[in-house]
Amino acid sequence: MLGICRGRRKFLAASLTLLCIPAITWLYLFAGSFEDGKPVSLSPLESQPHSPRYTASSQRERESLEVRVREVEEENRALRRQLSLAQGRAPAHRRGNHSKTYSMEEGTGDSENLRAGIVAGNSSECGQQPVVEKCETIHVAIVCAGYNASRDVVTLVKSVLFHRRNPLHFHLIADSIAEQILATLFQTWMVPAVRVDFYNADELKSEVSWIPNKHYSGIYGLMKLVLTKTLPPNLERVIVLDTDITFATDIAELWAVFHKFKGQQVLGLVENQSDWYLGNLWKNHRPWPALGRGYNTGVILLLLDKLRKMKWEQMWRLTAERELMGMLSTSLADQDIFNAVIKQNPFLVHKLPCFWNVQLSDHTRSEQCYRDVSDLKVIHWNSPKKLRVKNKHVEFFRNLYLTFLEYDGNLLRRELFGCPSEADVNSENLQKQLSELDEDDLCYEFRRERFTVHRTHLYFLHYEYEPASDHTDVTLVAQLSMDRKSVIQLDLANTKKAMIVPAFETLRYRLSFPKSKAELLSMLDMGTLFTFRYHVWTKGHAPTNFAKWRTATTPYRVEWEADFEPYVVVRRDCPEYDRRFVGFGWNKVAHIMELDAQEYEFIVLPNAYMIHMPHAPSFDITKFRSNKQYRICLKTLKEEFQQDMSRRYGFAALKYLTAENNS
């Protein structure tokens, strides 16, 4: 008994040591990341110092730090090995102590769970260590064609980059439009440890054009079938993703699942989360053959080397030809053919846990695969309705998507410490130019801005352009904010929504306009800015809920209140302003009231804002303030407008009269 207790004490000590080493490492790094009391940036735009104050000694200190970190990591690995050996000698089972293994290899846990399990002593076995090496490159293949897909793939990539800790290699099967857009985007993005290769989708059309397909993805929805032929022959494995995917975890966890494949398993797939392949969704529904519910191909793990040896190309072609004799066309593009092959060869599949592909389709049963949304790893918007799909947790899913949609991609330009990046000529030239600038120059920020490379997304919206034969074209260039991307994501074209742009004002005639929300909030706290008409007419913009806007990262809904007159973005076919309200007073109030009566939703944009600059009083407001008759007439017009509202909207308009009397 005494021996067992001593063994447990040794195990606990080793566990605590293991937990402390990473913390000490990062504390050491954190302390070493400051120079003269200022943080040293590791971003590609500032990864090299560009001030005369930078000396050879600081370079030596950095090199010494990197050497020390590598030594600490070696010590850490040695402790892990010792812990594993000690754990292997420990009794396999103890009475009253449940056995539970946390392993990234299984894709069911993470390092925090592993640490919690060790410290609490609730695990009789040490979790298997991640099988993904620190600097191992993860390969991801995506089929992307057209303007819409190029927008979606950027949101997907941002969600992957946000969580990743490994180098990434994206293989993009793209048409000429998407390649032009995305090549420019990644070139100007300059994310370290990310490589992108393009494969011409137009050249692959002949490989699959003989397959009739009813799916909205068109011919591009079949191109995942030919990846074994398209991707480099020396590429052994790849994660294949649809563009309508959002990651909520490190993609390395999914990559680690490859090591769980056994025997002839070559495809990693999540079961389809609807009854589509059961054939009972409606009368005379006749789906393609599938094993049970079938599998969804929005997330696929492909063992390319084994698939090639199995003659995958011949396998899927023969299956498709046979089934098309009776089915005539595919309904779900490549997914139908994958499932038909699996039906005949079930040994090909390694079934993934459902949280690796939570499907938000029209008939989804995905709610049965998780107890809490925090359990999820990958969200799949596989309904044509996309963000408008009905689901109990759709608000959470939508907010997660919109967070990455609006996330500043420049914040993802972070180095992977200890993983060397391939030399980038553009980045090196930029660093050289920046290093030649003098930080003590009073105009440094202006001069630095000349060299800043901005992440560029070409042709964000679909366009049809035919150049003039006489070369007399004129192009209007305008800056596009992220929240105008919101016009699409909030489906403004097909829904009744009024997007509110929060309004602020300043009493200063000269103001440096804030370049970001953070800068605006700072000016608000310092008293340089105020919420619009805060001092004289609070009710006009109070429903915007500025307190909530301060911390909001996604659009939020507000309700109409009396005298509400925000600045809004609406569809062109919205109700017009009431023409009786000319001059000063009640024009915006009446318009917002009309929108509310027609059941428009008021949605506040979290990252948009406008600032009212001071100016001389208008002629009309001067009359309003000085002329009693003007005010009497305005009151009469308001009463007439409310009577007209009652006639048009009946009982529903009663709330406007009640609110006016109570205000």
Side-chain angles (χ1 to χ4, degrees):
M1 185 67 182
L2 183 60
I4 293 176
C5 292
R6 287 175 178 172
R8 296 178 95 175
R9 282 200 298 270
K10 289 179 181 179
F11 173 67
L12 180 59
S15 302
L16 293 174
T17 305
L18 173 64
L19 293 176
C20 291
I21 288 295
I24 294 171
T25 301
W26 286 110
L27 183 61
Y28 188 83
L29 283 175
F30 183 74
S33 298
F34 285 78
E35 179 180 342
D36 297 332
K38 297 181 180 179
V40 178
S41 173
L42 295 180
S43 70
L45 289 183
E46 299 179 357
S47 60
Q48 298 293 331
H50 43 268
S51 168
R53 293 177 292 178
Y54 185 78
T55 64
S57 61
S58 59
Q59 177 65 24
R60 287 194 297 272
E61 291 173 3
R62 181 179 179 85
E63 292 173 354
S64 176
L65 174 62
E66 292 176 351
V67 170
R68 179 56 188 149
V69 168
R70 285 195 289 271
E71 291 174 353
V72 171
E73 289 177 339
E74 286 298 328
E75 295 172 6
N76 190 14
R77 280 194 286 270
L79 279 170
R80 287 181 183 273
R81 286 195 294 271
Q82 293 176 13
L83 181 60
S84 298
L85 292 173
Q87 186 66 10
R89 292 191 294 267
H93 300 282
R94 294 193 182 97
R95 186 173 297 174
N97 193 22
H98 297 287
S99 172
K100 187 172 183 180
T101 300
Y102 296 88
S103 171
M104 256 179 76
E105 183 176 354
E106 291 286 352
T108 57
D110 54 29
S111 57
E112 294 301 323
N113 289 335
L114 174 60
R115 295 172 186 171
I118 292 176
V119 172
N122 290 329
S123 174
S124 65
E125 292 186 12
C126 182
Q128 297 177 3
Q129 300 310 311
V131 292
V132 180
E133 295 295 330
K134 178 180 178 182
C135 294
E136 180 179 349
T137 299
I138 296 173
H139 294 267
V140 181
I142 305 170
V143 178
C144 178
Y147 304 93
N148 294 339
S150 66
R151 289 198 303 270
D152 293 338
V153 80
V154 174
T155 306
L156 160 61
V157 168
K158 285 197 285 188
S159 73
V160 173
L161 291 175
F162 181 83
H163 298 285
R164 66 100 179 222
R165 288 176 290 182
N166 284 72
L168 296 171
H169 188 164
F170 290 102
H171 303 265
L172 302 181
I173 295 84
D175 65 351
S176 57
I177 295 172
E179 180 173 354
Q180 182 184 14
I181 294 172
L182 295 174
T184 303
L185 179 74
F186 280 103
Q187 183 180 4
T188 56
W189 203 343
M190 294 191 299
V191 183
V194 170
R195 177 179 170 182
V196 182
D197 282 328
F198 291 91
Y199 306 83
N200 194 331
D202 294 327
E203 294 179 357
L204 300 176
K205 287 183 177 179
S206 60
E207 301 283 344
V208 292
S209 59
W210 57 275
I211 305 173
N213 178 28
K214 293 181 179 179
H215 194 256
Y216 63 85
S217 60
I219 192 171
Y220 299 103
L222 297 163
M223 290 188 176
K224 283 184 281 188
L225 293 166
V226 297
L227 289 180
T228 55
K229 189 175 181 179
T230 307
L231 297 177
N234 61 341
L235 183 60
E236 296 181 356
R237 61 191 64 178
V238 68
I239 297 174
V240 186
L241 302 174
D242 280 356
T243 58
D244 52 1
I245 290 287
T246 306
F247 264 78
T249 192
D250 189 351
I251 196 172
E253 295 183 41
L254 181 57
W255 185 258
V257 179
F258 273 119
H259 295 274
K260 298 298 294 179
F261 282 33
K262 298 178 181 178
Q264 293 181 291
Q265 292 177 344
V266 290
L267 303 169
L269 293 164
V270 172
E271 187 178 51
N272 201 45
Q273 292 164 8
S274 78
D275 292 345
W276 177 272
Y277 286 109
L278 298 181
N280 58 10
L281 291 182
W282 58 80
K283 189 177 180 180
N284 299 326
H285 175 216
R286 186 169 170 241
W288 274 56
L291 196 64
R293 293 190 181 279
Y295 292 91
N296 184 277
T297 57
V299 177
I300 316 176
L301 302 187
L302 289 184
L303 272 182
L304 296 171
D305 52 346
K306 284 191 175 182
L307 280 166
R308 294 183 184 110
K309 293 175 183 177
M310 288 181 176
K311 301 188 184 304
W312 166 254
E313 191 77 13
Q314 182 179 354
M315 188 183 297
W316 76 258
R317 283 179 179 274
L318 291 174
T319 302
E321 289 171 359
R322 182 180 66 248
E323 297 300 333
L324 283 170
M325 293 177 66
M327 299 301 299
L328 303 181
S329 69
T330 61
S331 297
L332 300 181
D334 66 88
Q335 183 168 300
D336 284 339
I337 298 175
F338 269 100
N339 275 289
V341 174
I342 293 169
K343 174 76 171 179
Q344 298 297 320
N345 308 278
F347 56 85
L348 297 176
V349 179
H350 177 86
K351 186 176 178 180
L352 300 176
C354 63
F355 49 65
W356 282 118
N357 185 353
V358 177
Q359 302 147 38
L360 302 181
S361 58
D362 293 333
H363 306 285
T364 184
R365 298 162 57 93
S366 60
E367 294 175 14
Q368 299 180 12
C369 96
Y370 59 88
R371 287 176 297 179
D372 189 83
V373 290
S374 62
D375 299 332
L376 308 181
K377 307 282 190 181
V378 173
I379 313 300
H380 186 190
W381 302 90
N382 62 323
S383 166
K385 297 177 183 176
K386 300 304 179 190
L387 299 188
R388 293 177 287 116
V389 71
K390 293 182 179 179
N391 182 279
K392 183 169 67 175
H393 299 112
V394 71
E395 276 301 313
F396 172 84
F397 299 137
R398 187 183 293 119
N399 288 341
L400 179 67
Y401 175 86
L402 292 175
T403 296
F404 286 117
L405 172 73
E406 300 175 4
Y407 192 82
D408 184 357
N410 294 316
L411 300 178
L412 298 169
R413 289 168 160 169
R414 57 176 182 261
E415 296 279 356
L416 294 181
F417 191 81
C419 296
S421 300
E422 293 184 10
D424 181 85
V425 176
N426 294 329
S427 181
E428 289 179 351
N429 290 338
L430 176 62
Q431 301 304 335
K432 184 177 182 297
Q433 292 169 332
L434 293 177
S435 66
E436 295 172 354
L437 297 180
D438 181 5
E439 280 187 337
D440 296 327
D441 186 347
L442 295 178
C443 299
Y444 170 76
E445 290 298 327
F446 292 92
R447 304 190 196 286
R448 185 182 187 279
E449 190 65 21
R450 292 170 52 202
F451 302 112
T452 300
V453 178
H454 296 280
R455 193 170 59 97
T456 305
H457 192 129
L458 299 175
Y459 315 124
F460 188 81
L461 300 177
H462 179 83
Y463 79 105
E464 296 293 340
Y465 170 65
E466 291 293 336
S469 57
D470 58 357
H471 305 292
T472 57
D473 303 55
V474 176
T475 301
L476 176 64
V477 179
Q479 183 174 348
L480 184 69
S481 70
M482 288 292 291
D483 283 291
R484 294 189 185 181
K485 296 175 184 177
S486 295
V487 170
I488 296 171
Q489 300 304 327
L490 293 176
D491 198 25
L492 193 65
N494 301 308
T495 57
K496 289 185 174 181
K497 287 188 175 71
M499 299 193 300
I500 296 174
V501 181
F504 301 86
E505 68 174 337
T506 180
L507 302 180
R508 301 181 179 182
Y509 283 88
R510 299 187 65 179
L511 178 76
S512 177
F513 197 89
K515 298 177 182 178
S516 66
K517 180 177 179 178
E519 189 175 341
L520 180 139
L521 292 176
S522 177
M523 297 171 72
L524 198 64
D525 293 338
M526 292 188 297
T528 308
L529 295 178
F530 308 90
T531 54
F532 191 55
R533 290 295 182 257
Y534 173 77
H535 301 89
V536 293
W537 188 239
T538 307
K539 294 192 297 182
H541 292 262
T544 300
N545 194 345
F546 291 98
K548 182 173 183 177
W549 184 83
R550 291 181 68 99
T551 58
T553 59
T554 58
Y556 61 92
R557 182 176 178 177
V558 295
E559 299 295 332
W560 175 88
E561 293 179 22
D563 297 318
F564 192 27
E565 51 175 351
Y567 295 98
V568 295
V569 178
V570 289
R571 284 174 7 202
R572 183 178 298 178
D573 60 353
C574 74
E576 295 181 353
Y577 270 59
D578 194 298
R579 298 187 182 184
R580 77 189 83 190
F581 296 109
V582 296
F584 176 80
W586 249 67
N587 48 7
K588 291 199 298 294
V589 173
H591 187 242
I592 295 299
M593 189 182 293
E594 184 91 26
L595 292 178
D596 184 68
Q598 294 197 16
E599 299 182 338
Y600 273 69
E601 289 182 71
F602 296 108
I603 308 295
V604 181
L605 300 176
N607 293 308
Y609 49 86
M610 63 184 304
I611 298 177
H612 179 267
M613 302 297 292
H615 56 80
S618 66
F619 177 71
D620 292 290
I621 195 173
T622 302
K623 285 199 300 182
F624 173 81
R625 291 170 176 170
S626 60
N627 190 326
K628 182 179 180 180
Q629 188 59 40
Y630 190 103
R631 297 192 294 273
I632 293 174
C633 290
L634 181 59
K635 182 179 180 181
T636 301
L637 294 176
K638 289 167 55 177
E639 293 170 352
E640 292 176 358
F641 173 77
Q642 290 172 333
Q643 292 171 5
D644 290 342
M645 289 281 287
S646 298
R647 281 192 290 270
R648 288 198 299 272
Y649 302 106
F651 182 77
L654 181 62
K655 74 171 184 178
Y656 305 116
L657 184 60
T658 304
E660 179 67 17
N661 292 334
N662 293 335
S663 62

